[in-house]
Amino acid sequence: MQEGILNSMERSLRLLSVLGIAVCLSGQAFASQASPERQAEVARRGTQVMPFALSQTTHIFERTPDGGVQKVVLKDGADPAQLRLVRQHLQDIGDQFAKGDFSGPETIHGHDMPGLEALRQARPGEMSVKYADIQNGAQLQFIASRPELIHALHAWIGAQLGDHGKDAVEGHSAHHHSMH
């Protein structure tokens, strides 16, 4: 009887390993590049929401096992005015997201932005948003409690990466550890 239980556990562990690899690989599919026309339109709309110069910043998005991280850093860290604008914007956006208000990304990326509807439907306490100053910028950390919300955050991150083109990069630590 114990042998049957051990065999069942081994099969379950193998299945979980395969599923884990599939999830990691599927994350790459979320980041398909938008057309140059779409990226230009997103950059134009971004000026309505982001008070800083998009061309002077890089957006770094990381998928984590429990959600994700968005960083905005200055390409030239010596501009204190741009740094203040980046930090204030991310604080404001973080406060809005924590209240379920995703109108900023919707204005820039459209109502049908991947992951956005599920994030809007999150109940209080199912997702937290934490702001932090970082060197030459700021970051938001998103932590979700349900797999559906984690998937929505990963889709949202992929849409950001695709739509922002050269102004956004994918962080690599997301595949190695959680950001707790």
Side-chain angles (χ1 to χ4, degrees), residues 23 26 30 63 65-67 114-115 118-119 144 146-157:
V23 167
S26 70
F30 287 131
R63 294 177 185 96
D66 56 3
L119 295 175
R146 287 190 296 122
E148 298 85 5
L149 288 176
I150 294 167
H151 179 74
L153 283 165
H154 291 179
W156 179 78
I157 287 169

PDB file of all heavy atoms in Angstrom, residues 23 26 30 63 65-67 114-115 118-119 144 146-157:
ATOM      1  N   VAL A  23       4.431  26.700 -17.369  1.00  0.00           N
ATOM      2  CA  VAL A  23       4.060  28.048 -16.940  1.00  0.00           C
ATOM      3  C   VAL A  23       5.196  29.024 -17.225  1.00  0.00           C
ATOM      4  O   VAL A  23       4.978  30.127 -17.728  1.00  0.00           O
ATOM      5  CB  VAL A  23       3.661  28.062 -15.444  1.00  0.00           C
ATOM      6  CG1 VAL A  23       3.594  29.477 -14.907  1.00  0.00           C
ATOM      7  CG2 VAL A  23       2.337  27.356 -15.246  1.00  0.00           C
ATOM      8  N   SER A  26       5.304  29.603 -20.927  1.00  0.00           N
ATOM      9  CA  SER A  26       4.154  30.334 -21.452  1.00  0.00           C
ATOM     10  C   SER A  26       4.262  31.816 -21.166  1.00  0.00           C
ATOM     11  O   SER A  26       3.698  32.627 -21.875  1.00  0.00           O
ATOM     12  CB  SER A  26       2.847  29.782 -20.882  1.00  0.00           C
ATOM     13  OG  SER A  26       2.731  30.106 -19.509  1.00  0.00           O
ATOM     14  N   PHE A  30       3.348  35.855 -23.501  1.00  0.00           N
ATOM     15  CA  PHE A  30       2.641  37.068 -23.141  1.00  0.00           C
ATOM     16  C   PHE A  30       3.333  38.313 -23.683  1.00  0.00           C
ATOM     17  O   PHE A  30       2.746  39.370 -23.730  1.00  0.00           O
ATOM     18  CB  PHE A  30       2.553  37.214 -21.612  1.00  0.00           C
ATOM     19  CG  PHE A  30       1.603  36.275 -20.952  1.00  0.00           C
ATOM     20  CD1 PHE A  30       2.014  35.543 -19.855  1.00  0.00           C
ATOM     21  CD2 PHE A  30       0.300  36.138 -21.392  1.00  0.00           C
ATOM     22  CE1 PHE A  30       1.135  34.701 -19.223  1.00  0.00           C
ATOM     23  CE2 PHE A  30      -0.578  35.291 -20.759  1.00  0.00           C
ATOM     24  CZ  PHE A  30      -0.156  34.567 -19.671  1.00  0.00           C
ATOM     25  N   ARG A  63       7.793  39.207 -13.822  1.00  0.00           N
ATOM     26  CA  ARG A  63       6.757  38.283 -13.349  1.00  0.00           C
ATOM     27  C   ARG A  63       7.341  37.528 -12.160  1.00  0.00           C
ATOM     28  O   ARG A  63       8.474  37.055 -12.235  1.00  0.00           O
ATOM     29  CB  ARG A  63       6.378  37.305 -14.451  1.00  0.00           C
ATOM     30  CG  ARG A  63       5.709  37.959 -15.632  1.00  0.00           C
ATOM     31  CD  ARG A  63       5.442  36.901 -16.713  1.00  0.00           C
ATOM     32  NE  ARG A  63       4.912  37.511 -17.898  1.00  0.00           N
ATOM     33  CZ  ARG A  63       5.635  37.860 -18.959  1.00  0.00           C
ATOM     34  NH1 ARG A  63       6.934  37.656 -18.982  1.00  0.00           N
ATOM     35  NH2 ARG A  63       5.066  38.407 -20.005  1.00  0.00           N
ATOM     36  N   PRO A  65       6.376  34.622  -8.838  1.00  0.00           N
ATOM     37  CA  PRO A  65       5.438  33.531  -8.550  1.00  0.00           C
ATOM     38  C   PRO A  65       4.122  34.002  -7.929  1.00  0.00           C
ATOM     39  O   PRO A  65       3.091  33.351  -8.096  1.00  0.00           O
ATOM     40  CB  PRO A  65       6.203  32.639  -7.577  1.00  0.00           C
ATOM     41  CG  PRO A  65       7.646  32.902  -7.888  1.00  0.00           C
ATOM     42  CD  PRO A  65       7.702  34.372  -8.262  1.00  0.00           C
ATOM     43  N   ASP A  66       4.143  35.158  -7.248  1.00  0.00           N
ATOM     44  CA  ASP A  66       2.917  35.643  -6.613  1.00  0.00           C
ATOM     45  C   ASP A  66       2.387  36.940  -7.236  1.00  0.00           C
ATOM     46  O   ASP A  66       1.534  37.596  -6.672  1.00  0.00           O
ATOM     47  CB  ASP A  66       3.113  35.811  -5.101  1.00  0.00           C
ATOM     48  CG  ASP A  66       4.284  36.732  -4.752  1.00  0.00           C
ATOM     49  OD1 ASP A  66       4.923  37.289  -5.665  1.00  0.00           O
ATOM     50  OD2 ASP A  66       4.569  36.871  -3.548  1.00  0.00           O
ATOM     51  N   GLY A  67       2.891  37.314  -8.399  1.00  0.00           N
ATOM     52  CA  GLY A  67       2.396  38.516  -9.061  1.00  0.00           C
ATOM     53  C   GLY A  67       3.414  39.126  -9.981  1.00  0.00           C
ATOM     54  O   GLY A  67       3.737  38.577 -11.024  1.00  0.00           O
ATOM     55  N   PRO A 114      -4.959  42.852 -22.010  1.00  0.00           N
ATOM     56  CA  PRO A 114      -4.926  41.543 -21.350  1.00  0.00           C
ATOM     57  C   PRO A 114      -4.715  41.668 -19.836  1.00  0.00           C
ATOM     58  O   PRO A 114      -3.886  42.447 -19.373  1.00  0.00           O
ATOM     59  CB  PRO A 114      -3.735  40.842 -22.011  1.00  0.00           C
ATOM     60  CG  PRO A 114      -3.670  41.464 -23.374  1.00  0.00           C
ATOM     61  CD  PRO A 114      -4.041  42.909 -23.154  1.00  0.00           C
ATOM     62  N   GLY A 115      -5.510  40.910 -19.091  1.00  0.00           N
ATOM     63  CA  GLY A 115      -5.410  40.850 -17.642  1.00  0.00           C
ATOM     64  C   GLY A 115      -6.192  41.921 -16.907  1.00  0.00           C
ATOM     65  O   GLY A 115      -6.517  41.771 -15.729  1.00  0.00           O
ATOM     66  N   ALA A 118      -9.772  41.005 -15.210  1.00  0.00           N
ATOM     67  CA  ALA A 118      -9.634  40.183 -14.001  1.00  0.00           C
ATOM     68  C   ALA A 118      -9.096  41.014 -12.836  1.00  0.00           C
ATOM     69  O   ALA A 118      -9.535  40.829 -11.683  1.00  0.00           O
ATOM     70  CB  ALA A 118      -8.721  38.989 -14.264  1.00  0.00           C
ATOM     71  N   LEU A 119      -8.170  41.924 -13.104  1.00  0.00           N
ATOM     72  CA  LEU A 119      -7.638  42.780 -12.035  1.00  0.00           C
ATOM     73  C   LEU A 119      -8.719  43.705 -11.501  1.00  0.00           C
ATOM     74  O   LEU A 119      -8.813  43.937 -10.296  1.00  0.00           O
ATOM     75  CB  LEU A 119      -6.441  43.585 -12.545  1.00  0.00           C
ATOM     76  CG  LEU A 119      -5.217  42.759 -12.939  1.00  0.00           C
ATOM     77  CD1 LEU A 119      -4.140  43.651 -13.541  1.00  0.00           C
ATOM     78  CD2 LEU A 119      -4.674  41.981 -11.754  1.00  0.00           C
ATOM     79  N   ALA A 144      -0.611  38.856  -5.438  1.00  0.00           N
ATOM     80  CA  ALA A 144      -1.987  38.372  -5.535  1.00  0.00           C
ATOM     81  C   ALA A 144      -2.143  37.074  -4.751  1.00  0.00           C
ATOM     82  O   ALA A 144      -1.196  36.313  -4.605  1.00  0.00           O
ATOM     83  CB  ALA A 144      -2.362  38.155  -7.000  1.00  0.00           C
ATOM     84  N   ARG A 146      -4.788  34.789  -5.452  1.00  0.00           N
ATOM     85  CA  ARG A 146      -5.422  33.730  -6.244  1.00  0.00           C
ATOM     86  C   ARG A 146      -4.657  33.498  -7.543  1.00  0.00           C
ATOM     87  O   ARG A 146      -4.196  34.461  -8.165  1.00  0.00           O
ATOM     88  CB  ARG A 146      -6.861  34.114  -6.603  1.00  0.00           C
ATOM     89  CG  ARG A 146      -7.832  34.062  -5.454  1.00  0.00           C
ATOM     90  CD  ARG A 146      -9.286  34.219  -5.896  1.00  0.00           C
ATOM     91  NE  ARG A 146      -9.556  35.529  -6.498  1.00  0.00           N
ATOM     92  CZ  ARG A 146     -10.031  35.696  -7.734  1.00  0.00           C
ATOM     93  NH1 ARG A 146     -10.299  34.683  -8.521  1.00  0.00           N
ATOM     94  NH2 ARG A 146     -10.252  36.910  -8.203  1.00  0.00           N
ATOM     95  N   PRO A 147      -4.564  32.243  -7.980  1.00  0.00           N
ATOM     96  CA  PRO A 147      -3.871  31.949  -9.243  1.00  0.00           C
ATOM     97  C   PRO A 147      -4.426  32.738 -10.430  1.00  0.00           C
ATOM     98  O   PRO A 147      -3.665  33.161 -11.299  1.00  0.00           O
ATOM     99  CB  PRO A 147      -4.084  30.444  -9.438  1.00  0.00           C
ATOM    100  CG  PRO A 147      -4.296  29.917  -8.058  1.00  0.00           C
ATOM    101  CD  PRO A 147      -5.006  31.013  -7.309  1.00  0.00           C
ATOM    102  N   GLU A 148      -5.735  32.973 -10.473  1.00  0.00           N
ATOM    103  CA  GLU A 148      -6.327  33.722 -11.580  1.00  0.00           C
ATOM    104  C   GLU A 148      -5.797  35.158 -11.624  1.00  0.00           C
ATOM    105  O   GLU A 148      -5.587  35.712 -12.698  1.00  0.00           O
ATOM    106  CB  GLU A 148      -7.861  33.753 -11.468  1.00  0.00           C
ATOM    107  CG  GLU A 148      -8.516  32.391 -11.528  1.00  0.00           C
ATOM    108  CD  GLU A 148      -8.561  31.686 -10.161  1.00  0.00           C
ATOM    109  OE1 GLU A 148      -8.171  32.269  -9.130  1.00  0.00           O
ATOM    110  OE2 GLU A 148      -8.991  30.523 -10.134  1.00  0.00           O
ATOM    111  N   LEU A 149      -5.593  35.742 -10.449  1.00  0.00           N
ATOM    112  CA  LEU A 149      -5.061  37.110 -10.410  1.00  0.00           C
ATOM    113  C   LEU A 149      -3.581  37.147 -10.769  1.00  0.00           C
ATOM    114  O   LEU A 149      -3.119  38.088 -11.422  1.00  0.00           O
ATOM    115  CB  LEU A 149      -5.288  37.733  -9.032  1.00  0.00           C
ATOM    116  CG  LEU A 149      -6.729  38.103  -8.707  1.00  0.00           C
ATOM    117  CD1 LEU A 149      -6.851  38.621  -7.281  1.00  0.00           C
ATOM    118  CD2 LEU A 149      -7.256  39.131  -9.690  1.00  0.00           C
ATOM    119  N   ILE A 150      -2.854  36.135 -10.349  1.00  0.00           N
ATOM    120  CA  ILE A 150      -1.437  36.049 -10.720  1.00  0.00           C
ATOM    121  C   ILE A 150      -1.324  35.933 -12.237  1.00  0.00           C
ATOM    122  O   ILE A 150      -0.529  36.634 -12.867  1.00  0.00           O
ATOM    123  CB  ILE A 150      -0.749  34.870 -10.000  1.00  0.00           C
ATOM    124  CG1 ILE A 150      -0.724  35.136  -8.487  1.00  0.00           C
ATOM    125  CG2 ILE A 150       0.665  34.647 -10.548  1.00  0.00           C
ATOM    126  CD1 ILE A 150      -0.349  33.930  -7.647  1.00  0.00           C
ATOM    127  N   HIS A 151      -2.145  35.089 -12.820  1.00  0.00           N
ATOM    128  CA  HIS A 151      -2.163  34.939 -14.281  1.00  0.00           C
ATOM    129  C   HIS A 151      -2.534  36.270 -14.946  1.00  0.00           C
ATOM    130  O   HIS A 151      -1.923  36.666 -15.952  1.00  0.00           O
ATOM    131  CB  HIS A 151      -3.143  33.839 -14.684  1.00  0.00           C
ATOM    132  CG  HIS A 151      -3.223  33.642 -16.161  1.00  0.00           C
ATOM    133  ND1 HIS A 151      -2.234  33.031 -16.898  1.00  0.00           N
ATOM    134  CD2 HIS A 151      -4.171  34.018 -17.051  1.00  0.00           C
ATOM    135  CE1 HIS A 151      -2.572  33.020 -18.167  1.00  0.00           C
ATOM    136  NE2 HIS A 151      -3.740  33.626 -18.295  1.00  0.00           N
ATOM    137  N   ALA A 152      -3.513  36.982 -14.384  1.00  0.00           N
ATOM    138  CA  ALA A 152      -3.920  38.273 -14.943  1.00  0.00           C
ATOM    139  C   ALA A 152      -2.769  39.278 -14.865  1.00  0.00           C
ATOM    140  O   ALA A 152      -2.536  40.030 -15.819  1.00  0.00           O
ATOM    141  CB  ALA A 152      -5.148  38.808 -14.205  1.00  0.00           C
ATOM    142  N   LEU A 153      -2.055  39.298 -13.743  1.00  0.00           N
ATOM    143  CA  LEU A 153      -0.893  40.188 -13.620  1.00  0.00           C
ATOM    144  C   LEU A 153       0.178  39.842 -14.652  1.00  0.00           C
ATOM    145  O   LEU A 153       0.764  40.728 -15.280  1.00  0.00           O
ATOM    146  CB  LEU A 153      -0.306  40.122 -12.211  1.00  0.00           C
ATOM    147  CG  LEU A 153      -1.073  40.890 -11.148  1.00  0.00           C
ATOM    148  CD1 LEU A 153      -0.641  40.464  -9.757  1.00  0.00           C
ATOM    149  CD2 LEU A 153      -0.907  42.396 -11.343  1.00  0.00           C
ATOM    150  N   HIS A 154       0.411  38.545 -14.866  1.00  0.00           N
ATOM    151  CA  HIS A 154       1.406  38.121 -15.853  1.00  0.00           C
ATOM    152  C   HIS A 154       0.979  38.543 -17.262  1.00  0.00           C
ATOM    153  O   HIS A 154       1.809  38.990 -18.065  1.00  0.00           O
ATOM    154  CB  HIS A 154       1.641  36.624 -15.769  1.00  0.00           C
ATOM    155  CG  HIS A 154       2.346  36.219 -14.516  1.00  0.00           C
ATOM    156  ND1 HIS A 154       2.642  34.897 -14.243  1.00  0.00           N
ATOM    157  CD2 HIS A 154       2.810  36.927 -13.458  1.00  0.00           C
ATOM    158  CE1 HIS A 154       3.263  34.829 -13.068  1.00  0.00           C
ATOM    159  NE2 HIS A 154       3.370  36.054 -12.581  1.00  0.00           N
ATOM    160  N   ALA A 155      -0.319  38.428 -17.569  1.00  0.00           N
ATOM    161  CA  ALA A 155      -0.820  38.855 -18.880  1.00  0.00           C
ATOM    162  C   ALA A 155      -0.696  40.370 -19.030  1.00  0.00           C
ATOM    163  O   ALA A 155      -0.311  40.876 -20.090  1.00  0.00           O
ATOM    164  CB  ALA A 155      -2.276  38.417 -19.050  1.00  0.00           C
ATOM    165  N   TRP A 156      -1.013  41.093 -17.969  1.00  0.00           N
ATOM    166  CA  TRP A 156      -0.918  42.560 -17.963  1.00  0.00           C
ATOM    167  C   TRP A 156       0.535  42.992 -18.187  1.00  0.00           C
ATOM    168  O   TRP A 156       0.808  43.902 -18.966  1.00  0.00           O
ATOM    169  CB  TRP A 156      -1.472  43.060 -16.624  1.00  0.00           C
ATOM    170  CG  TRP A 156      -1.428  44.522 -16.419  1.00  0.00           C
ATOM    171  CD1 TRP A 156      -2.281  45.460 -16.939  1.00  0.00           C
ATOM    172  CD2 TRP A 156      -0.489  45.243 -15.611  1.00  0.00           C
ATOM    173  NE1 TRP A 156      -1.915  46.711 -16.497  1.00  0.00           N
ATOM    174  CE2 TRP A 156      -0.821  46.608 -15.676  1.00  0.00           C
ATOM    175  CE3 TRP A 156       0.598  44.862 -14.833  1.00  0.00           C
ATOM    176  CZ2 TRP A 156      -0.111  47.589 -15.001  1.00  0.00           C
ATOM    177  CZ3 TRP A 156       1.312  45.837 -14.157  1.00  0.00           C
ATOM    178  CH2 TRP A 156       0.950  47.181 -14.252  1.00  0.00           C
ATOM    179  N   ILE A 157       1.461  42.320 -17.526  1.00  0.00           N
ATOM    180  CA  ILE A 157       2.885  42.610 -17.706  1.00  0.00           C
ATOM    181  C   ILE A 157       3.305  42.343 -19.150  1.00  0.00           C
ATOM    182  O   ILE A 157       4.016  43.135 -19.764  1.00  0.00           O
ATOM    183  CB  ILE A 157       3.736  41.801 -16.708  1.00  0.00           C
ATOM    184  CG1 ILE A 157       3.578  42.399 -15.298  1.00  0.00           C
ATOM    185  CG2 ILE A 157       5.202  41.740 -17.133  1.00  0.00           C
ATOM    186  CD1 ILE A 157       4.158  41.542 -14.184  1.00  0.00           C
TER     187      ILE A 157
END
